[in-house]
Amino acid sequence: MVLPHPLSETPARAVTRRAVLLGTAAWCAGTAACSGGAMRASSAPSASSAASPFTSPSSASGSRAPAASPRTALPPAVAWRPGAGEIEPAAKVAAVRLVEALGTWPAGQGGERAAAGRAARLGIPEATASELAAQAGSLRPPADAAVVRVIDAQYGGILPDTASVLVVCDQPALTGGAVRPGGTTVDVRLSRTADGWRVTALHPAAPGPAVALSAAARDVLAQSRIELPPASAADIRSGAVHDSVLRAMLHLAGSYRLSVSVVRSGHPLDVFGTDRPSDHPRGRAFDVWRVNGRPVVDPATSRALITGFMRAAAAAGSYNVGGPVQLTGGATANQFFSDDTHHDHVHVGFTS
């Protein structure tokens, strides 16, 4: 039996892999939403086929955030739905539906009270809906209108009765007649009840202000083979991500196209279910949800592709590589790990 490294991202308790049950998620807006029915059902892509609105190199190559777009209309809202291979998809759906509701509003409905009303319409008790709206933070930027389009929903942790779902968002916002690109990542905490998964708290990303960048940071932001969601790009622009992480991304981009989900902000401070600090908030880790355009969670994705990527991450200097496959033969006994939390992404961690 392989024991976890004391600072590894392995949760304290493993849970048995459950059959994928697309059961009814708590607080979903009707049967259509719970089964993956989209706000624009005819055009809603699956998690494995959705086009991802990642930050492009042309808009993220410097230390400044992307500028406003000349567009004057927001794109349509498209509800995220889980694809094949998910563990506890109902937990992800419950988390995503709330994030979509809080972060999408028409003109004049961006206030906290209106956000609480949208949450309540999902079936959340009014008092709880008000608390969650107050916790929305970067999910409610100052804007006339906004649309959340979820890039990915991955686990920050999954245990029998509690979960952390990291909802990675693109969020264009309309302000003063112009559409400005944006987005965030929200650590959504849930508890299992007799009625299903219920959201208990929100922890939105807060990357911090942009600073003068290192050469490695500039290279990562300019690299077209590294797809960065808005919060991860902002993490790098903040200067809080270690060069070991950035150099590893660049090294891996030489052989793979990697779609990053989480770098620093929007991730639990501790390894979920433990009191051990996670490497993510310290700027010493990144997660990848898609390799060469293929989602890690999808059973149709080649396991050879995923295991090859995991071994390449270890060769790039990671002491702690987690994913959906338990590998052997690492430089240390604990270099590779696998659990239910990491069935949907590859974790790449560094000691410094």
Side-chain angles (χ1 to χ4, degrees), residues 39 73-78 99-111 118 138-149 170-175 178-183:
M39 287 177 263
L74 291 170
V78 179
V99 168
E100 289 172 336
L102 291 176
T104 300
W105 65 86
Q109 296 298 309
R118 294 191 297 275
S138 56
L139 187 58
R140 293 198 305 107
D144 300 326
V147 173
V148 157
R149 292 165 69 94
D170 178 69
Q171 189 183 32
L174 182 64
T175 304
V179 175
R180 181 177 296 277

PDB file of all heavy atoms in Angstrom, residues 39 73-78 99-111 118 138-149 170-175 178-183:
ATOM      1  N   MET A  39     -29.987  26.344 -20.173  1.00  0.00           N
ATOM      2  CA  MET A  39     -30.786  27.535 -20.339  1.00  0.00           C
ATOM      3  C   MET A  39     -31.114  27.728 -21.807  1.00  0.00           C
ATOM      4  O   MET A  39     -32.131  28.291 -22.157  1.00  0.00           O
ATOM      5  CB  MET A  39     -30.029  28.739 -19.783  1.00  0.00           C
ATOM      6  CG  MET A  39     -29.968  28.769 -18.271  1.00  0.00           C
ATOM      7  SD  MET A  39     -28.999  30.137 -17.648  1.00  0.00           S
ATOM      8  CE  MET A  39     -27.447  29.328 -17.360  1.00  0.00           C
ATOM      9  N   ALA A  73     -22.896  43.211 -26.908  1.00  0.00           N
ATOM     10  CA  ALA A  73     -23.895  42.235 -26.477  1.00  0.00           C
ATOM     11  C   ALA A  73     -23.185  41.047 -25.847  1.00  0.00           C
ATOM     12  O   ALA A  73     -22.139  40.596 -26.325  1.00  0.00           O
ATOM     13  CB  ALA A  73     -24.737  41.769 -27.663  1.00  0.00           C
ATOM     14  N   LEU A  74     -23.756  40.557 -24.765  1.00  0.00           N
ATOM     15  CA  LEU A  74     -23.186  39.393 -24.087  1.00  0.00           C
ATOM     16  C   LEU A  74     -23.491  38.115 -24.862  1.00  0.00           C
ATOM     17  O   LEU A  74     -24.519  38.024 -25.545  1.00  0.00           O
ATOM     18  CB  LEU A  74     -23.771  39.283 -22.681  1.00  0.00           C
ATOM     19  CG  LEU A  74     -23.344  40.361 -21.680  1.00  0.00           C
ATOM     20  CD1 LEU A  74     -24.184  40.255 -20.412  1.00  0.00           C
ATOM     21  CD2 LEU A  74     -21.869  40.232 -21.348  1.00  0.00           C
ATOM     22  N   PRO A  75     -22.623  37.111 -24.757  1.00  0.00           N
ATOM     23  CA  PRO A  75     -22.943  35.816 -25.371  1.00  0.00           C
ATOM     24  C   PRO A  75     -24.088  35.156 -24.618  1.00  0.00           C
ATOM     25  O   PRO A  75     -24.388  35.522 -23.479  1.00  0.00           O
ATOM     26  CB  PRO A  75     -21.642  35.030 -25.207  1.00  0.00           C
ATOM     27  CG  PRO A  75     -20.992  35.619 -24.007  1.00  0.00           C
ATOM     28  CD  PRO A  75     -21.329  37.087 -24.053  1.00  0.00           C
ATOM     29  N   PRO A  76     -24.738  34.189 -25.236  1.00  0.00           N
ATOM     30  CA  PRO A  76     -25.847  33.519 -24.549  1.00  0.00           C
ATOM     31  C   PRO A  76     -25.356  32.669 -23.383  1.00  0.00           C
ATOM     32  O   PRO A  76     -24.220  32.190 -23.387  1.00  0.00           O
ATOM     33  CB  PRO A  76     -26.465  32.636 -25.642  1.00  0.00           C
ATOM     34  CG  PRO A  76     -25.345  32.384 -26.596  1.00  0.00           C
ATOM     35  CD  PRO A  76     -24.523  33.647 -26.594  1.00  0.00           C
ATOM     36  N   ALA A  77     -26.207  32.496 -22.391  1.00  0.00           N
ATOM     37  CA  ALA A  77     -25.903  31.599 -21.276  1.00  0.00           C
ATOM     38  C   ALA A  77     -26.097  30.160 -21.736  1.00  0.00           C
ATOM     39  O   ALA A  77     -27.071  29.835 -22.412  1.00  0.00           O
ATOM     40  CB  ALA A  77     -26.819  31.903 -20.091  1.00  0.00           C
ATOM     41  N   VAL A  78     -25.136  29.295 -21.392  1.00  0.00           N
ATOM     42  CA  VAL A  78     -25.217  27.867 -21.730  1.00  0.00           C
ATOM     43  C   VAL A  78     -24.927  27.082 -20.461  1.00  0.00           C
ATOM     44  O   VAL A  78     -23.847  27.204 -19.888  1.00  0.00           O
ATOM     45  CB  VAL A  78     -24.201  27.490 -22.833  1.00  0.00           C
ATOM     46  CG1 VAL A  78     -24.298  25.997 -23.148  1.00  0.00           C
ATOM     47  CG2 VAL A  78     -24.435  28.310 -24.091  1.00  0.00           C
ATOM     48  N   VAL A  99     -23.664  28.673  -8.962  1.00  0.00           N
ATOM     49  CA  VAL A  99     -22.704  29.625  -9.507  1.00  0.00           C
ATOM     50  C   VAL A  99     -23.270  30.300 -10.755  1.00  0.00           C
ATOM     51  O   VAL A  99     -23.149  31.518 -10.938  1.00  0.00           O
ATOM     52  CB  VAL A  99     -21.367  28.918  -9.805  1.00  0.00           C
ATOM     53  CG1 VAL A  99     -20.450  29.807 -10.645  1.00  0.00           C
ATOM     54  CG2 VAL A  99     -20.679  28.537  -8.503  1.00  0.00           C
ATOM     55  N   GLU A 100     -23.903  29.522 -11.622  1.00  0.00           N
ATOM     56  CA  GLU A 100     -24.508  30.101 -12.821  1.00  0.00           C
ATOM     57  C   GLU A 100     -25.588  31.109 -12.452  1.00  0.00           C
ATOM     58  O   GLU A 100     -25.698  32.176 -13.071  1.00  0.00           O
ATOM     59  CB  GLU A 100     -25.091  28.989 -13.694  1.00  0.00           C
ATOM     60  CG  GLU A 100     -24.046  28.124 -14.369  1.00  0.00           C
ATOM     61  CD  GLU A 100     -24.628  26.924 -15.077  1.00  0.00           C
ATOM     62  OE1 GLU A 100     -25.747  26.474 -14.695  1.00  0.00           O
ATOM     63  OE2 GLU A 100     -23.973  26.400 -15.999  1.00  0.00           O
ATOM     64  N   ALA A 101     -26.392  30.789 -11.449  1.00  0.00           N
ATOM     65  CA  ALA A 101     -27.481  31.690 -11.053  1.00  0.00           C
ATOM     66  C   ALA A 101     -26.950  32.977 -10.437  1.00  0.00           C
ATOM     67  O   ALA A 101     -27.429  34.071 -10.754  1.00  0.00           O
ATOM     68  CB  ALA A 101     -28.409  30.975 -10.067  1.00  0.00           C
ATOM     69  N   LEU A 102     -25.956  32.876  -9.565  1.00  0.00           N
ATOM     70  CA  LEU A 102     -25.435  34.075  -8.912  1.00  0.00           C
ATOM     71  C   LEU A 102     -24.650  34.961  -9.881  1.00  0.00           C
ATOM     72  O   LEU A 102     -24.652  36.190  -9.740  1.00  0.00           O
ATOM     73  CB  LEU A 102     -24.527  33.675  -7.747  1.00  0.00           C
ATOM     74  CG  LEU A 102     -25.206  33.023  -6.542  1.00  0.00           C
ATOM     75  CD1 LEU A 102     -24.161  32.605  -5.513  1.00  0.00           C
ATOM     76  CD2 LEU A 102     -26.223  33.959  -5.900  1.00  0.00           C
ATOM     77  N   GLY A 103     -23.978  34.348 -10.856  1.00  0.00           N
ATOM     78  CA  GLY A 103     -23.090  35.110 -11.720  1.00  0.00           C
ATOM     79  C   GLY A 103     -23.657  35.505 -13.057  1.00  0.00           C
ATOM     80  O   GLY A 103     -22.947  36.093 -13.878  1.00  0.00           O
ATOM     81  N   THR A 104     -24.933  35.227 -13.295  1.00  0.00           N
ATOM     82  CA  THR A 104     -25.589  35.589 -14.551  1.00  0.00           C
ATOM     83  C   THR A 104     -26.808  36.447 -14.233  1.00  0.00           C
ATOM     84  O   THR A 104     -27.685  36.024 -13.477  1.00  0.00           O
ATOM     85  CB  THR A 104     -26.033  34.327 -15.314  1.00  0.00           C
ATOM     86  OG1 THR A 104     -24.884  33.522 -15.604  1.00  0.00           O
ATOM     87  CG2 THR A 104     -26.728  34.692 -16.617  1.00  0.00           C
ATOM     88  N   TRP A 105     -26.837  37.650 -14.797  1.00  0.00           N
ATOM     89  CA  TRP A 105     -27.991  38.514 -14.549  1.00  0.00           C
ATOM     90  C   TRP A 105     -28.215  39.464 -15.714  1.00  0.00           C
ATOM     91  O   TRP A 105     -27.283  39.845 -16.411  1.00  0.00           O
ATOM     92  CB  TRP A 105     -27.813  39.297 -13.244  1.00  0.00           C
ATOM     93  CG  TRP A 105     -26.686  40.286 -13.238  1.00  0.00           C
ATOM     94  CD1 TRP A 105     -26.708  41.580 -13.664  1.00  0.00           C
ATOM     95  CD2 TRP A 105     -25.364  40.059 -12.738  1.00  0.00           C
ATOM     96  NE1 TRP A 105     -25.490  42.181 -13.476  1.00  0.00           N
ATOM     97  CE2 TRP A 105     -24.641  41.269 -12.908  1.00  0.00           C
ATOM     98  CE3 TRP A 105     -24.716  38.961 -12.164  1.00  0.00           C
ATOM     99  CZ2 TRP A 105     -23.313  41.396 -12.535  1.00  0.00           C
ATOM    100  CZ3 TRP A 105     -23.400  39.095 -11.795  1.00  0.00           C
ATOM    101  CH2 TRP A 105     -22.711  40.299 -11.978  1.00  0.00           C
ATOM    102  N   PRO A 106     -29.484  39.873 -15.915  1.00  0.00           N
ATOM    103  CA  PRO A 106     -29.797  40.863 -16.941  1.00  0.00           C
ATOM    104  C   PRO A 106     -29.526  42.267 -16.413  1.00  0.00           C
ATOM    105  O   PRO A 106     -29.205  42.454 -15.231  1.00  0.00           O
ATOM    106  CB  PRO A 106     -31.289  40.638 -17.196  1.00  0.00           C
ATOM    107  CG  PRO A 106     -31.806  40.159 -15.866  1.00  0.00           C
ATOM    108  CD  PRO A 106     -30.694  39.335 -15.273  1.00  0.00           C
ATOM    109  N   ALA A 107     -29.657  43.240 -17.281  1.00  0.00           N
ATOM    110  CA  ALA A 107     -29.365  44.624 -16.908  1.00  0.00           C
ATOM    111  C   ALA A 107     -30.140  45.036 -15.661  1.00  0.00           C
ATOM    112  O   ALA A 107     -31.346  44.796 -15.546  1.00  0.00           O
ATOM    113  CB  ALA A 107     -29.703  45.556 -18.059  1.00  0.00           C
ATOM    114  N   GLY A 108     -29.412  45.614 -14.704  1.00  0.00           N
ATOM    115  CA  GLY A 108     -30.038  46.151 -13.503  1.00  0.00           C
ATOM    116  C   GLY A 108     -30.292  45.139 -12.413  1.00  0.00           C
ATOM    117  O   GLY A 108     -30.865  45.493 -11.370  1.00  0.00           O
ATOM    118  N   GLN A 109     -29.865  43.867 -12.571  1.00  0.00           N
ATOM    119  CA  GLN A 109     -30.166  42.838 -11.577  1.00  0.00           C
ATOM    120  C   GLN A 109     -28.900  42.275 -10.931  1.00  0.00           C
ATOM    121  O   GLN A 109     -28.858  41.127 -10.519  1.00  0.00           O
ATOM    122  CB  GLN A 109     -30.958  41.709 -12.240  1.00  0.00           C
ATOM    123  CG  GLN A 109     -32.320  42.122 -12.755  1.00  0.00           C
ATOM    124  CD  GLN A 109     -33.231  42.594 -11.627  1.00  0.00           C
ATOM    125  OE1 GLN A 109     -33.385  41.900 -10.624  1.00  0.00           O
ATOM    126  NE2 GLN A 109     -33.825  43.763 -11.787  1.00  0.00           N
ATOM    127  N   GLY A 110     -27.854  43.107 -10.832  1.00  0.00           N
ATOM    128  CA  GLY A 110     -26.593  42.620 -10.297  1.00  0.00           C
ATOM    129  C   GLY A 110     -26.436  42.763  -8.800  1.00  0.00           C
ATOM    130  O   GLY A 110     -25.413  42.339  -8.245  1.00  0.00           O
ATOM    131  N   GLY A 111     -27.405  43.343  -8.115  1.00  0.00           N
ATOM    132  CA  GLY A 111     -27.280  43.560  -6.679  1.00  0.00           C
ATOM    133  C   GLY A 111     -27.398  42.285  -5.870  1.00  0.00           C
ATOM    134  O   GLY A 111     -27.833  41.231  -6.360  1.00  0.00           O
ATOM    135  N   ARG A 118     -32.315  34.954  -7.148  1.00  0.00           N
ATOM    136  CA  ARG A 118     -32.024  33.915  -8.149  1.00  0.00           C
ATOM    137  C   ARG A 118     -31.643  32.602  -7.477  1.00  0.00           C
ATOM    138  O   ARG A 118     -32.020  31.520  -7.938  1.00  0.00           O
ATOM    139  CB  ARG A 118     -30.905  34.381  -9.082  1.00  0.00           C
ATOM    140  CG  ARG A 118     -31.292  35.563  -9.959  1.00  0.00           C
ATOM    141  CD  ARG A 118     -30.280  35.829 -11.053  1.00  0.00           C
ATOM    142  NE  ARG A 118     -28.957  36.201 -10.560  1.00  0.00           N
ATOM    143  CZ  ARG A 118     -28.592  37.428 -10.227  1.00  0.00           C
ATOM    144  NH1 ARG A 118     -29.467  38.426 -10.325  1.00  0.00           N
ATOM    145  NH2 ARG A 118     -27.359  37.690  -9.819  1.00  0.00           N
ATOM    146  N   SER A 138     -16.019  37.741  -6.022  1.00  0.00           N
ATOM    147  CA  SER A 138     -15.626  38.000  -7.402  1.00  0.00           C
ATOM    148  C   SER A 138     -16.593  37.420  -8.421  1.00  0.00           C
ATOM    149  O   SER A 138     -16.496  37.725  -9.616  1.00  0.00           O
ATOM    150  CB  SER A 138     -14.226  37.434  -7.656  1.00  0.00           C
ATOM    151  OG  SER A 138     -14.163  36.044  -7.342  1.00  0.00           O
ATOM    152  N   LEU A 139     -17.550  36.626  -7.977  1.00  0.00           N
ATOM    153  CA  LEU A 139     -18.574  36.107  -8.883  1.00  0.00           C
ATOM    154  C   LEU A 139     -19.594  37.177  -9.244  1.00  0.00           C
ATOM    155  O   LEU A 139     -20.344  37.014 -10.217  1.00  0.00           O
ATOM    156  CB  LEU A 139     -19.276  34.910  -8.225  1.00  0.00           C
ATOM    157  CG  LEU A 139     -20.281  34.104  -9.040  1.00  0.00           C
ATOM    158  CD1 LEU A 139     -19.638  33.533 -10.302  1.00  0.00           C
ATOM    159  CD2 LEU A 139     -20.871  32.982  -8.189  1.00  0.00           C
ATOM    160  N   ARG A 140     -19.623  38.279  -8.482  1.00  0.00           N
ATOM    161  CA  ARG A 140     -20.533  39.391  -8.787  1.00  0.00           C
ATOM    162  C   ARG A 140     -19.711  40.663  -9.002  1.00  0.00           C
ATOM    163  O   ARG A 140     -19.709  41.560  -8.164  1.00  0.00           O
ATOM    164  CB  ARG A 140     -21.542  39.584  -7.659  1.00  0.00           C
ATOM    165  CG  ARG A 140     -22.529  38.438  -7.516  1.00  0.00           C
ATOM    166  CD  ARG A 140     -23.764  38.814  -6.706  1.00  0.00           C
ATOM    167  NE  ARG A 140     -23.407  39.338  -5.388  1.00  0.00           N
ATOM    168  CZ  ARG A 140     -23.498  40.619  -5.038  1.00  0.00           C
ATOM    169  NH1 ARG A 140     -23.900  41.526  -5.908  1.00  0.00           N
ATOM    170  NH2 ARG A 140     -23.172  40.987  -3.815  1.00  0.00           N
ATOM    171  N   PRO A 141     -19.016  40.774 -10.130  1.00  0.00           N
ATOM    172  CA  PRO A 141     -18.243  41.991 -10.389  1.00  0.00           C
ATOM    173  C   PRO A 141     -19.174  43.171 -10.647  1.00  0.00           C
ATOM    174  O   PRO A 141     -20.340  42.981 -11.027  1.00  0.00           O
ATOM    175  CB  PRO A 141     -17.468  41.626 -11.666  1.00  0.00           C
ATOM    176  CG  PRO A 141     -18.355  40.631 -12.357  1.00  0.00           C
ATOM    177  CD  PRO A 141     -18.974  39.832 -11.252  1.00  0.00           C
ATOM    178  N   PRO A 142     -18.700  44.397 -10.455  1.00  0.00           N
ATOM    179  CA  PRO A 142     -19.543  45.561 -10.757  1.00  0.00           C
ATOM    180  C   PRO A 142     -19.795  45.634 -12.259  1.00  0.00           C
ATOM    181  O   PRO A 142     -18.863  45.837 -13.042  1.00  0.00           O
ATOM    182  CB  PRO A 142     -18.703  46.740 -10.261  1.00  0.00           C
ATOM    183  CG  PRO A 142     -17.298  46.233 -10.223  1.00  0.00           C
ATOM    184  CD  PRO A 142     -17.385  44.775  -9.919  1.00  0.00           C
ATOM    185  N   ALA A 143     -21.017  45.434 -12.665  1.00  0.00           N
ATOM    186  CA  ALA A 143     -21.359  45.419 -14.085  1.00  0.00           C
ATOM    187  C   ALA A 143     -22.865  45.592 -14.227  1.00  0.00           C
ATOM    188  O   ALA A 143     -23.634  45.307 -13.305  1.00  0.00           O
ATOM    189  CB  ALA A 143     -20.911  44.104 -14.740  1.00  0.00           C
ATOM    190  N   ASP A 144     -23.274  46.042 -15.410  1.00  0.00           N
ATOM    191  CA  ASP A 144     -24.700  46.190 -15.685  1.00  0.00           C
ATOM    192  C   ASP A 144     -25.365  44.827 -15.882  1.00  0.00           C
ATOM    193  O   ASP A 144     -26.502  44.619 -15.485  1.00  0.00           O
ATOM    194  CB  ASP A 144     -24.908  47.044 -16.938  1.00  0.00           C
ATOM    195  CG  ASP A 144     -24.314  48.441 -16.788  1.00  0.00           C
ATOM    196  OD1 ASP A 144     -24.343  48.969 -15.656  1.00  0.00           O
ATOM    197  OD2 ASP A 144     -23.823  48.992 -17.786  1.00  0.00           O
ATOM    198  N   ALA A 145     -24.643  43.917 -16.527  1.00  0.00           N
ATOM    199  CA  ALA A 145     -25.153  42.575 -16.779  1.00  0.00           C
ATOM    200  C   ALA A 145     -23.953  41.649 -16.934  1.00  0.00           C
ATOM    201  O   ALA A 145     -22.838  42.097 -17.219  1.00  0.00           O
ATOM    202  CB  ALA A 145     -26.017  42.546 -18.043  1.00  0.00           C
ATOM    203  N   ALA A 146     -24.162  40.363 -16.745  1.00  0.00           N
ATOM    204  CA  ALA A 146     -23.059  39.406 -16.844  1.00  0.00           C
ATOM    205  C   ALA A 146     -23.608  38.029 -17.177  1.00  0.00           C
ATOM    206  O   ALA A 146     -24.793  37.741 -16.951  1.00  0.00           O
ATOM    207  CB  ALA A 146     -22.260  39.360 -15.544  1.00  0.00           C
ATOM    208  N   VAL A 147     -22.731  37.172 -17.704  1.00  0.00           N
ATOM    209  CA  VAL A 147     -23.084  35.797 -18.039  1.00  0.00           C
ATOM    210  C   VAL A 147     -21.950  34.883 -17.604  1.00  0.00           C
ATOM    211  O   VAL A 147     -20.796  35.094 -17.993  1.00  0.00           O
ATOM    212  CB  VAL A 147     -23.329  35.615 -19.552  1.00  0.00           C
ATOM    213  CG1 VAL A 147     -23.518  34.140 -19.893  1.00  0.00           C
ATOM    214  CG2 VAL A 147     -24.543  36.404 -20.011  1.00  0.00           C
ATOM    215  N   VAL A 148     -22.254  33.890 -16.791  1.00  0.00           N
ATOM    216  CA  VAL A 148     -21.284  32.861 -16.425  1.00  0.00           C
ATOM    217  C   VAL A 148     -21.379  31.725 -17.431  1.00  0.00           C
ATOM    218  O   VAL A 148     -22.467  31.226 -17.724  1.00  0.00           O
ATOM    219  CB  VAL A 148     -21.549  32.328 -15.003  1.00  0.00           C
ATOM    220  CG1 VAL A 148     -20.947  30.926 -14.822  1.00  0.00           C
ATOM    221  CG2 VAL A 148     -20.956  33.260 -13.964  1.00  0.00           C
ATOM    222  N   ARG A 149     -20.231  31.360 -17.969  1.00  0.00           N
ATOM    223  CA  ARG A 149     -20.122  30.170 -18.824  1.00  0.00           C
ATOM    224  C   ARG A 149     -19.050  29.292 -18.186  1.00  0.00           C
ATOM    225  O   ARG A 149     -17.867  29.649 -18.177  1.00  0.00           O
ATOM    226  CB  ARG A 149     -19.777  30.569 -20.253  1.00  0.00           C
ATOM    227  CG  ARG A 149     -20.918  31.316 -20.939  1.00  0.00           C
ATOM    228  CD  ARG A 149     -20.466  32.035 -22.195  1.00  0.00           C
ATOM    229  NE  ARG A 149     -20.111  31.142 -23.277  1.00  0.00           N
ATOM    230  CZ  ARG A 149     -20.944  30.762 -24.253  1.00  0.00           C
ATOM    231  NH1 ARG A 149     -22.193  31.219 -24.260  1.00  0.00           N
ATOM    232  NH2 ARG A 149     -20.548  29.959 -25.208  1.00  0.00           N
ATOM    233  N   ASP A 170     -15.725  31.405 -16.996  1.00  0.00           N
ATOM    234  CA  ASP A 170     -15.563  32.582 -17.843  1.00  0.00           C
ATOM    235  C   ASP A 170     -16.787  33.446 -17.581  1.00  0.00           C
ATOM    236  O   ASP A 170     -17.896  32.918 -17.452  1.00  0.00           O
ATOM    237  CB  ASP A 170     -15.489  32.156 -19.310  1.00  0.00           C
ATOM    238  CG  ASP A 170     -15.375  33.331 -20.249  1.00  0.00           C
ATOM    239  OD1 ASP A 170     -14.326  33.987 -20.253  1.00  0.00           O
ATOM    240  OD2 ASP A 170     -16.341  33.595 -21.001  1.00  0.00           O
ATOM    241  N   GLN A 171     -16.600  34.762 -17.453  1.00  0.00           N
ATOM    242  CA  GLN A 171     -17.734  35.624 -17.113  1.00  0.00           C
ATOM    243  C   GLN A 171     -17.613  36.978 -17.821  1.00  0.00           C
ATOM    244  O   GLN A 171     -17.208  37.970 -17.224  1.00  0.00           O
ATOM    245  CB  GLN A 171     -17.832  35.821 -15.598  1.00  0.00           C
ATOM    246  CG  GLN A 171     -19.120  36.523 -15.148  1.00  0.00           C
ATOM    247  CD  GLN A 171     -19.139  36.771 -13.654  1.00  0.00           C
ATOM    248  OE1 GLN A 171     -18.086  36.986 -13.043  1.00  0.00           O
ATOM    249  NE2 GLN A 171     -20.314  36.747 -13.053  1.00  0.00           N
ATOM    250  N   PRO A 172     -17.985  37.055 -19.088  1.00  0.00           N
ATOM    251  CA  PRO A 172     -18.022  38.362 -19.737  1.00  0.00           C
ATOM    252  C   PRO A 172     -19.092  39.231 -19.084  1.00  0.00           C
ATOM    253  O   PRO A 172     -20.148  38.745 -18.678  1.00  0.00           O
ATOM    254  CB  PRO A 172     -18.373  38.023 -21.186  1.00  0.00           C
ATOM    255  CG  PRO A 172     -19.020  36.676 -21.125  1.00  0.00           C
ATOM    256  CD  PRO A 172     -18.403  35.960 -19.970  1.00  0.00           C
ATOM    257  N   ALA A 173     -18.789  40.515 -18.953  1.00  0.00           N
ATOM    258  CA  ALA A 173     -19.702  41.438 -18.274  1.00  0.00           C
ATOM    259  C   ALA A 173     -19.904  42.681 -19.131  1.00  0.00           C
ATOM    260  O   ALA A 173     -18.969  43.172 -19.775  1.00  0.00           O
ATOM    261  CB  ALA A 173     -19.149  41.824 -16.908  1.00  0.00           C
ATOM    262  N   LEU A 174     -21.119  43.183 -19.127  1.00  0.00           N
ATOM    263  CA  LEU A 174     -21.470  44.388 -19.885  1.00  0.00           C
ATOM    264  C   LEU A 174     -21.440  45.584 -18.951  1.00  0.00           C
ATOM    265  O   LEU A 174     -22.155  45.629 -17.948  1.00  0.00           O
ATOM    266  CB  LEU A 174     -22.861  44.225 -20.491  1.00  0.00           C
ATOM    267  CG  LEU A 174     -23.377  45.369 -21.363  1.00  0.00           C
ATOM    268  CD1 LEU A 174     -22.511  45.524 -22.616  1.00  0.00           C
ATOM    269  CD2 LEU A 174     -24.830  45.128 -21.748  1.00  0.00           C
ATOM    270  N   THR A 175     -20.590  46.548 -19.286  1.00  0.00           N
ATOM    271  CA  THR A 175     -20.457  47.757 -18.477  1.00  0.00           C
ATOM    272  C   THR A 175     -20.350  48.964 -19.400  1.00  0.00           C
ATOM    273  O   THR A 175     -19.465  49.010 -20.253  1.00  0.00           O
ATOM    274  CB  THR A 175     -19.203  47.690 -17.580  1.00  0.00           C
ATOM    275  OG1 THR A 175     -19.251  46.517 -16.774  1.00  0.00           O
ATOM    276  CG2 THR A 175     -19.126  48.918 -16.671  1.00  0.00           C
ATOM    277  N   ALA A 178     -20.102  48.324 -23.230  1.00  0.00           N
ATOM    278  CA  ALA A 178     -19.028  47.495 -23.784  1.00  0.00           C
ATOM    279  C   ALA A 178     -18.909  46.209 -22.980  1.00  0.00           C
ATOM    280  O   ALA A 178     -19.123  46.203 -21.758  1.00  0.00           O
ATOM    281  CB  ALA A 178     -17.704  48.244 -23.769  1.00  0.00           C
ATOM    282  N   VAL A 179     -18.567  45.116 -23.653  1.00  0.00           N
ATOM    283  CA  VAL A 179     -18.392  43.833 -22.995  1.00  0.00           C
ATOM    284  C   VAL A 179     -16.935  43.680 -22.581  1.00  0.00           C
ATOM    285  O   VAL A 179     -16.023  43.802 -23.394  1.00  0.00           O
ATOM    286  CB  VAL A 179     -18.796  42.671 -23.918  1.00  0.00           C
ATOM    287  CG1 VAL A 179     -18.490  41.330 -23.264  1.00  0.00           C
ATOM    288  CG2 VAL A 179     -20.285  42.758 -24.261  1.00  0.00           C
ATOM    289  N   ARG A 180     -16.733  43.425 -21.292  1.00  0.00           N
ATOM    290  CA  ARG A 180     -15.387  43.234 -20.767  1.00  0.00           C
ATOM    291  C   ARG A 180     -15.202  41.773 -20.389  1.00  0.00           C
ATOM    292  O   ARG A 180     -16.037  41.201 -19.695  1.00  0.00           O
ATOM    293  CB  ARG A 180     -15.170  44.115 -19.531  1.00  0.00           C
ATOM    294  CG  ARG A 180     -13.770  44.008 -18.927  1.00  0.00           C
ATOM    295  CD  ARG A 180     -13.587  44.958 -17.756  1.00  0.00           C
ATOM    296  NE  ARG A 180     -13.694  46.332 -18.173  1.00  0.00           N
ATOM    297  CZ  ARG A 180     -12.692  47.034 -18.697  1.00  0.00           C
ATOM    298  NH1 ARG A 180     -11.519  46.460 -18.897  1.00  0.00           N
ATOM    299  NH2 ARG A 180     -12.865  48.289 -19.038  1.00  0.00           N
ATOM    300  N   PRO A 181     -14.097  41.140 -20.852  1.00  0.00           N
ATOM    301  CA  PRO A 181     -13.873  39.741 -20.466  1.00  0.00           C
ATOM    302  C   PRO A 181     -13.566  39.640 -18.980  1.00  0.00           C
ATOM    303  O   PRO A 181     -13.036  40.571 -18.369  1.00  0.00           O
ATOM    304  CB  PRO A 181     -12.675  39.329 -21.321  1.00  0.00           C
ATOM    305  CG  PRO A 181     -11.963  40.614 -21.621  1.00  0.00           C
ATOM    306  CD  PRO A 181     -13.029  41.664 -21.712  1.00  0.00           C
ATOM    307  N   GLY A 182     -13.883  38.512 -18.405  1.00  0.00           N
ATOM    308  CA  GLY A 182     -13.600  38.303 -16.992  1.00  0.00           C
ATOM    309  C   GLY A 182     -13.911  36.868 -16.615  1.00  0.00           C
ATOM    310  O   GLY A 182     -14.165  36.021 -17.464  1.00  0.00           O
ATOM    311  N   GLY A 183     -13.871  36.606 -15.345  1.00  0.00           N
ATOM    312  CA  GLY A 183     -14.164  35.266 -14.864  1.00  0.00           C
ATOM    313  C   GLY A 183     -13.508  35.022 -13.525  1.00  0.00           C
ATOM    314  O   GLY A 183     -12.682  35.813 -13.053  1.00  0.00           O
TER     315      GLY A 183
END
